[in-house]
Amino acid sequence: MKKQSTILLIAPITILLVVVLILPLLAVLLPTVWEGGAVTLSRYLSFFQDPYYIKIFVRTLRIALICTLVCMILGIPTAYFISRVSKKWRGILMSIALFPMLTNSVIRAFAWINILGKNGIVNQILTALHVVDQPLSMLYTEFSVLIGTIYLFLPLMIITLVGVMENIDNDMMEAAESLGASRLLSFVKVILPMSIPGIITGSVLVFTGAMTAYTTPQLLGGPKNMLLSTLIYQRAMTLNDWTGASVVALVMIVTTLIVMKGLNFVADRLDKRGEN
C-alpha cells in the first residue's frame, strides 16, 4: 500500500517532466543524430572541424571558466566577512548582495553599456585624469562580456558560500590561532577546506549560468564576440536552421555536464584527502 501511494505521488511530476522536458528535448536532439534512416554523428564532426565554431566554443568555455574563477576569488572573502558579522548586519549585507539579482538582466546590461561605452563613466574619468588621450574601446569586447557575466553571477557564489560558512564555528579559527597559526593561515587551513562543498556548488551554478547566458553576451559582446548561446539564437531565429542550433545546444549541454562531473570529482578527492 505504501509503495502504491509513493508511486501515485511521484507519477504526476514524472509525467509532467516527460511531457514538457524530455519529449521536447528528444524532438529537438534526435534529428541531429538521425539522417537518411541511419544514426550519424556527421553534424557534430562538422562542428568540431569548423574553425569558426571551434573559436566560439573555446571563447565560451574560456569566459565561463574565468568568470567562475573570479567569482570564487571575490566570493570567498566576501562570504566569509558576511558570515562573521552580526545577524542584523548579515541580513543587510545579504540584501545588498542579492539586489543585482532583483534587476532585469537587460537593464543590468544597459547599465554596463553606459559604464563601459566610449562616452561612458570609465572613459570620462580616464580622460579627465589624462590617463588616456582617446576613449578606450571596452564595449563589445570579450572583456565587457566577462565583466557583465561576473556581475551577473557573483551573487550566486556569495549566497551559496554564506550558507556554508555561517555554520562553521568561530572556535575552529580560535583553536588554530592558539596553536600559532596566523589568521590568514588559519583561514586557508581551516575555513577553506570546510567550505569546499559550498565552493563546488557555487562554481557549478556560476559555470552553468555563464555557459548558457544569452542576454549579457548579446548586448555587451555584439556579433564579433559570439558565444554558444548567441550562436544558437542566430542558427535558429536568423538562419532558421533548427537542426544546426540543436547541435550547438547539445555540445553546450555535454560540455557543461563534463565540467560539473569534473568539479564533483575534485570535491570527492578533496574530501577523501581530508579524511586521510
Side-chain angles (χ1 to χ4, degrees):
M1 186 66 182
K2 185 177 180 181
K3 186 177 180 180
Q4 292 177 345
S5 300
T6 304
I7 293 174
L8 289 174
L9 289 172
I10 296 175
I13 188 63
T14 303
I15 295 171
L16 182 65
L17 287 174
V18 170
V19 172
V20 303
L21 179 63
I22 296 177
L23 290 181
L25 277 175
L26 291 176
V28 169
L29 298 177
L30 280 179
T32 66
V33 295
W34 187 265
E35 187 177 9
V39 177
T40 176
L41 298 177
S42 59
R43 290 188 175 91
Y44 295 97
L45 294 175
S46 298
F47 178 90
F48 286 105
Q49 289 172 354
D50 191 324
Y52 176 70
Y53 290 146
I54 289 296
K55 186 177 180 180
I56 294 174
F57 175 77
V58 172
R59 182 188 297 128
T60 305
L61 190 59
R62 179 171 63 244
I63 288 177
L65 289 172
I66 294 174
C67 174
T68 304
L69 181 61
V70 173
C71 286
M72 193 186 303
I73 293 171
L74 296 177
I76 289 172
T78 304
Y80 179 70
F81 175 77
I82 294 175
S83 68
R84 288 297 175 264
V85 298
S86 64
K87 289 186 177 180
K88 175 185 175 181
W89 281 104
R90 191 182 306 166
I92 294 173
L93 293 175
M94 284 291 288
S95 300
I96 294 172
L98 283 170
F99 181 76
M101 298 185 69
L102 304 178
T103 310
N104 187 275
S105 58
V106 176
I107 297 174
R108 282 181 280 183
F110 275 112
W112 280 109
I113 290 174
N114 290 326
I115 294 172
L116 299 176
K118 286 195 173 183
N119 295 319
I121 298 171
V122 174
N123 272 313
Q124 288 180 7
I125 293 174
L126 294 176
T127 305
L129 296 174
H130 302 289
V131 177
V132 294
D133 297 326
Q134 298 293 331
L136 299 175
S137 297
M138 292 181 287
L139 197 58
Y140 306 123
T141 62
E142 193 172 312
F143 170 76
S144 62
V145 175
L146 185 59
I147 291 294
T149 308
I150 292 170
Y151 175 73
L152 191 64
F153 295 110
L154 180 59
L156 286 177
M157 181 67 77
I158 293 174
I159 295 166
T160 306
L161 287 172
V162 168
V164 174
M165 289 183 174
E166 66 183 0
N167 293 320
I168 300 175
D169 201 330
N170 269 330
D171 292 342
M172 303 290 289
M173 284 284 288
E174 293 174 1
E177 291 175 15
S178 68
L179 295 173
S182 64
R183 192 161 186 80
L184 178 60
L185 185 61
S186 300
F187 177 81
V188 172
K189 293 290 187 180
V190 178
I191 302 298
L192 208 55
M194 297 180 71
S195 304
I196 291 297
I199 294 173
I200 297 299
T201 303
S203 299
V204 168
L205 292 173
V206 171
F207 180 83
T208 304
M211 274 291 289
T212 58
Y214 169 75
T215 305
T216 299
Q218 179 70 13
L219 294 177
L220 297 182
K224 292 184 178 180
N225 293 279
M226 190 174 291
L227 303 185
L228 290 178
S229 55
T230 52
L231 178 62
I232 292 173
Y233 181 86
Q234 182 198 65
R235 302 300 301 181
M237 306 306 294
T238 305
L239 303 177
N240 200 30
D241 179 14
W242 285 89
T243 303
S246 300
V247 170
V248 180
L250 187 59
V251 169
M252 179 191 294
I253 292 170
V254 172
T255 303
T256 304
L257 289 175
I258 289 172
V259 173
M260 289 172 60
K261 287 292 184 182
L263 289 172
N264 288 328
F265 175 77
V266 171
D268 292 339
R269 296 291 294 178
L270 290 173
D271 286 341
K272 290 179 180 178
R273 187 175 177 183
E275 290 175 0
N276 294 332

